[in-house]
Amino acid sequence: MSTTGATADPLAALGSLPGVADSVESVRKAVDRVYGHRIMRRRGNEITGEAALRGARGSAALSGADWALEEVRRRTDFSGDDEARVVGASLRLTAEAGQLLSIWRQSPLRVLARLHLVAAAGTGDEVGRPRQDGEPVDEPFVELPLPGAAEVSGRLEGLAELIIVGGSAPALVTAAVVHGELLALRPFGSHNGLVARAAERIVLIGSGLDPKSVCPAEVGHAEPGRAVYLAALDGYASGTPEGMAAWIAHCGRAVELGARESTAVCEALQRGAA
């Protein structure tokens, strides 16, 4: 995403694209319904924990480890094979995201480096820093052209500046741009999808849209399937107003589906308590 030009607040400008205001309003209503549920008011910590688990499962599914929820719930060792390590990385990122909220607005690049370090759980020179020219990127499901290291650095700096400066853009728009930009850039050698979705989660929580993290967008990104997710990402990468609006709408729908998931959990708990 370009951060230059005549528009002082490019994120706010995206909020005026056709259909985006409707998505923002629809998301707000969906989130409000969850927070207004009687079970949410009484057992919010349980809903938050369940949303974290389901969000981690959804993010891992988009990165190639599509495990049943109960398998994620029961498993304690995530070091076995590639899929297990992906699920483990997703769970670690979900747990870590809430610890980084205070740093995000001051130093988003530091947070992204930390997220990659947590996801990769390695000690190599490439862990926790943007990739350099010639270094491979392991992100098999994203087939967009891979930007060079100089472009990655410039666009990450631009993204960080937008976050630090803030502005009037709705939280959904900011979260969608952070998510889309990180996936388009793939700034790290691995785990970019997991990091991008964790960063989206941080924006949604830190903005106050979903402060208790009970509307896991990762669930909504995964539910329609990876092909739908990647097609929406193509719209973001195109840079066209129509493509950007479609990506923001997709992210909005993902939050709504996450809200629906937690509403269902609330309803199940309510039936059990009856």
Side-chain angles (χ1 to χ4, degrees), residues 149-166:
E151 181 179 351
V152 168
S153 177
R155 286 171 63 174
L156 282 178
E157 290 289 346
L159 183 64
E161 181 181 353
L162 289 175
I163 294 165
I164 293 168
V165 171

Side-chain angles (χ1 to χ4, degrees), residues 56-68 72 81-90 138-142 191-194 197 222 225-227 229-230:
R57 193 217 72 83
S59 189
L62 288 168
S63 288
D66 192 1
W67 286 14
V72 179
D81 55 21
D82 287 346
E83 286 195 4
R85 286 190 287 273
V86 168
V87 175
S90 189
D138 182 14
E139 201 69 43
F141 301 114
V142 179
H191 301 90
N192 289 287
L194 295 177
R197 292 183 288 275
R226 189 186 298 122
Y229 177 67
L230 295 178

Side-chain angles (χ1 to χ4, degrees), residues 96-267:
E96 187 75 9
Q99 310 302 314
L100 298 172
L101 295 173
S102 62
I103 307 172
W104 175 254
R105 285 298 298 272
Q106 286 74 42
S107 185
L109 297 185
R110 180 180 164 196
V111 169
L112 293 176
R114 173 62 184 170
L115 290 174
H116 186 248
L117 185 67
V118 168
T123 57
D125 291 342
E126 76 284 356
V127 175
R129 63 154 175 82
R131 57 184 169 81
Q132 300 173 0
D133 279 330
E135 291 183 336
V137 174
D138 182 14
E139 201 69 43
F141 301 114
V142 179
E143 298 179 349
L144 296 170
L146 191 66
E151 181 179 351
V152 168
S153 177
R155 286 171 63 174
L156 282 178
E157 290 289 346
L159 183 64
E161 181 181 353
L162 289 175
I163 294 165
I164 293 168
V165 171
S168 59
L172 171 63
V173 172
T174 302
V177 168
V178 167
H179 184 169
E181 191 73 350
L182 291 174
L183 265 183
L185 291 177
R186 283 146 292 161
F188 302 107
S190 63
H191 301 90
N192 289 287
L194 295 177
V195 168
R197 292 183 288 275
E200 180 186 50
R201 173 182 284 266
I202 288 172
V203 175
L204 293 172
I205 300 170
S207 66
L209 177 62
D210 182 20
K212 295 183 179 180
S213 193
V214 295
C215 302
E218 303 96 328
V219 169
H221 288 303
E223 184 172 316
R226 189 186 298 122
V228 172
Y229 177 67
L230 295 178
L233 176 63
D234 286 345
Y236 177 87
S238 75
T240 65
E242 297 80 9
M244 296 290 285
W247 170 249
I248 295 168
H250 168 83
C251 291
R253 182 59 178 158
V255 177
E256 291 182 59
L257 290 172
R260 187 186 70 181
E261 186 88 353
S262 287
T263 299
V265 173
C266 288
E267 294 293 335

